[in-house]
Every structure is written in structure tokens, then in C-alpha cells.
Amino acid sequence: MRSDCGGFQLQVVLLLACCFLPASTGLQSYSADRSRYQCGHPEYKRVCFEHSVRAKLVFNEFEPVVIRCVVRNLGKHVVTWMKNDGRDIPLTIGHKVFASDSRVKIDYSSPDEWNLVIQGAQAKDSGEYLCQVNTLEKLLEKRFQLVVRGGDTDGGSGKKSSVNVKKQSSESSKRLPNDEAVLSAETTRELKNVLIYGPAIVLQGEQFVSFTCTATFRGRDARRNPDASVEWYHLGLRQVSNASSMDISMSWKDGDTIVSVLTIYSVRFEHSGDWVCLKQPSEKRPPALETASHQLTVLGEQSMADLQKKE
């Protein structure tokens, strides 16, 4: 009787092993196959963002801010940083910094890391930042939320350090009432060194749409500088002349102003977005790239008709 019972138990164990072992093996195989389609896997070849990187960041005022953006399989594509504040002006494109704020830097010490650095964080730096890569298929982006908390604290009491308060008060007392107007005027004059003219809204399929960029240098003999030029960018990618789709020309006016005309032969929806003209070399002090930005919207026939009705 005991022998029969032991045999029955052995059969049950073997039966369970036959039932569950293949299922377990199949589950492991499925998990392994699934991981091949995740960013960071050696067999995954498309451009992608590392999702394990923190997307919500909190820094104290006056601290250096580092927003990490890890991009896998970047290849020849370009990383662009934007602040989602409605202005559509890039902070950085590739290795170049377009922000007029000298505190903004780009750290690309690792091939996969394109980190946005803001020295001496301020409350105005808070907001949403976009790390973008424009591919032929679509625009990829990863969003980051930055919060800059009010200044240094004293012993965790939540009160601002008296040293910082005195420093701010001293700096404020040195500023005359009309200093802001003077600074604004100087900024305006610098911005006018680079300008873009062109249509803001065009119809898809329209032929020969042009943008004109003028970049003015200080010296009257600037044209003698072989490095003086302008560069065009769209959604983070530098634009060059192409016999089938685009032409970029450059000429000098009065010896100190470059006039560059970018002509699109046939407009597509993909041409929508921010177009940037970059002056080379920059004459801003402290060193910062001088740019002008222009937003283009491409509409279909029905969208254009609806827009005209509203007008």
C-alpha cells in the first residue's frame, strides 16, 4: 500500500514538472525577446532616450543645475535643448549654445550624454525643458520639469541667508533707476545685428518660399575676414544647399553686412517650425552666439481656407 502511494506521489511530481517547466522557459524567452525592443539593449538600433533618467528635478537657488539627457544610437542626428516657454528659441543645437544667457552651457563629455548646464540657478529658470532629436521619421523629445527653490537657507529654518540678502541689497542700491532702460536699449541694438525676414504662414506645395537673414558686423572691412558667414538651422539640423529641395546664397552689402537667402523649392509640412540664422563669428561680449529666429507654419488648403474665413 505504501509502495503504491509513493509511486502515485512520484507521478504527480513528474506531471507538474512537465506542465510548468516549459511555461517557465517560454516566459523567460518572451522576456528576453521583449528586452531587445527597449532603449539601451545592444540589439536596439533606433534613436531613443534613456527613460531611467530623472525627469523631475529640484535645485536650490544659486546652485549649478545639470539636466541629464541620455540619447542612445544618436549617430549623425543632432540634440537640441529648448525651454518650453512659448518662444521656440533653441538654447543649444548640438555643440553650439544659442542662449543669450552666458550661464547656459552644454556638457557632452560622454557620447550618449547631452546635459544642459545652468550655472547659478535662479527662480526664473524654473519650467519645462525639452531635449529633442529630429529624425527623418519624426521629432523625438524627452521632457524635464525643473524647480528652483528660493535662496540659501540658514540651518534649515527656511529663512534666506542674511549674507545673500545684504549682497542683493548692496547690488540693488548701486543700480540707478534708468539702468534697466539702458540695458534694454543695448540688448535691442545687439539683437538687431542679426535679423530674419520671411513669410510666417504658407500653403503646402507652394513653390520658391524664401527667408532672408542679414548679419551686420562692427568693422566696415568685415568682408575681408574669411571666417565671416551665416549658418541656417531648422529643428536642430544645419541646412545646406541641395539641388533638389533648397538653395542658400550669401552676399555682402556695404562691406559689413552679410545677406543670406534661403529658398525652399517646394514647401512641405515638415518645413514647419523654428528657423534659426547664426552669425559667425559672434561679436557679443561676453562670448555668446548671435542668432535670429523665425517661426514658419505650413497649412493645408482646407486649413488656409478656414484661416481666411476667420480673418
Side-chain angles (χ1 to χ4, degrees):
M1 183 71 178
R2 290 180 181 176
S3 177
D4 294 341
C5 183
F8 176 74
Q9 290 177 345
L10 180 60
Q11 291 176 3
V12 171
V13 171
L14 292 175
L15 179 62
L16 291 174
C18 291
C19 292
F20 287 99
L21 184 58
S24 176
T25 304
L27 182 61
Q28 293 176 356
S29 177
Y30 171 75
S31 299
D33 289 341
R34 187 178 181 183
S35 66
R36 294 169 54 190
Y37 299 97
Q38 295 180 352
C39 187
H41 192 280
E43 296 185 29
Y44 191 83
K45 302 302 182 182
R46 292 188 177 185
V47 182
C48 61
F49 295 103
E50 183 63 59
H51 294 293
S52 62
V53 178
R54 290 174 55 194
K56 294 184 179 180
L57 306 166
V58 179
F59 288 85
N60 291 323
E61 199 171 5
F62 310 121
E63 286 183 343
V65 170
V66 178
I67 308 178
R68 291 184 64 229
C69 183
V70 180
V71 188
R72 307 294 185 190
N73 309 316
L74 183 62
K76 296 182 179 180
H77 299 292
V78 179
V79 175
T80 299
W81 275 101
M82 307 276 293
K83 185 174 183 182
N84 193 14
D85 54 6
R87 293 187 297 172
D88 291 324
I89 299 177
L91 298 174
T92 68
I93 298 179
H95 298 170
K96 299 180 184 297
V97 178
F98 286 79
S100 58
D101 192 333
S102 60
R103 297 179 302 125
V104 177
K105 311 290 183 184
I106 185 71
D107 173 22
Y108 47 91
S109 53
S110 170
D112 292 341
E113 293 210 20
W114 293 82
N115 305 328
L116 184 70
V117 179
I118 306 175
Q119 299 289 348
Q122 301 175 10
K124 67 178 183 179
D125 298 324
S126 296
E128 187 177 55
Y129 290 80
L130 311 176
C131 181
Q132 300 178 331
V133 178
N134 187 39
T135 69
L136 294 176
E137 298 175 352
K138 60 181 178 178
L139 177 66
L140 306 175
E141 68 179 20
K142 183 173 177 62
R143 296 171 178 260
F144 297 86
Q145 191 67 39
L146 172 65
V147 176
V148 179
R149 297 185 297 196
D152 294 344
T153 57
D154 185 11
S157 62
K159 296 181 180 179
K160 286 188 177 181
S161 168
S162 58
V163 175
N164 287 324
V165 173
K166 290 179 180 178
K167 182 179 179 181
Q168 292 171 359
S169 300
S170 175
E171 291 177 350
S172 299
S173 63
K174 293 178 182 179
R175 177 170 290 179
L176 298 176
N178 61 349
D179 277 358
E180 291 292 342
V182 173
L183 290 173
S184 297
E186 290 177 352
T187 302
T188 301
R189 284 199 298 271
E190 286 185 346
L191 290 176
K192 287 184 178 179
N193 288 335
V194 186
L195 295 170
I196 291 182
Y197 307 90
I201 301 175
V202 298
L203 188 65
Q204 183 192 22
E206 189 168 338
Q207 303 293 316
F208 304 111
V209 172
S210 297
F211 303 114
T212 301
C213 172
T214 61
T216 302
F217 295 81
R218 289 195 180 97
R220 285 290 179 180
D221 57 349
R223 65 185 305 166
R224 295 185 180 181
N225 182 357
D227 297 325
S229 65
V230 296
E231 297 174 358
W232 288 90
Y233 291 84
H234 177 240
L235 297 179
L237 295 178
R238 184 179 176 184
Q239 304 298 300
V240 295
S241 292
N242 186 305
S244 62
S245 61
M246 182 181 300
D247 178 72
I248 298 176
S249 65
M250 191 184 83
S251 60
W252 282 91
K253 177 183 178 182
D254 300 329
D256 64 347
T257 301
I258 290 178
V259 179
S260 179
V261 179
L262 183 149
T263 301
I264 303 172
Y265 296 152
S266 181
V267 177
R268 303 188 305 274
F269 286 118
E270 292 81 2
H271 291 127
S272 293
D274 200 49
W275 292 81
V276 176
C277 177
L278 167 66
K279 172 184 172 183
Q280 291 281 31
S282 173
E283 296 175 309
K284 267 190 178 181
R285 297 179 183 177
L289 297 181
E290 296 180 79
T291 66
S293 177
H294 182 81
Q295 186 74 20
L296 176 67
T297 300
V298 180
L299 300 176
E301 294 184 359
Q302 185 59 46
S303 299
M304 183 67 81
D306 295 340
L307 183 63
Q308 291 174 344
K309 287 180 180 178
K310 292 180 180 180
E311 295 177 348

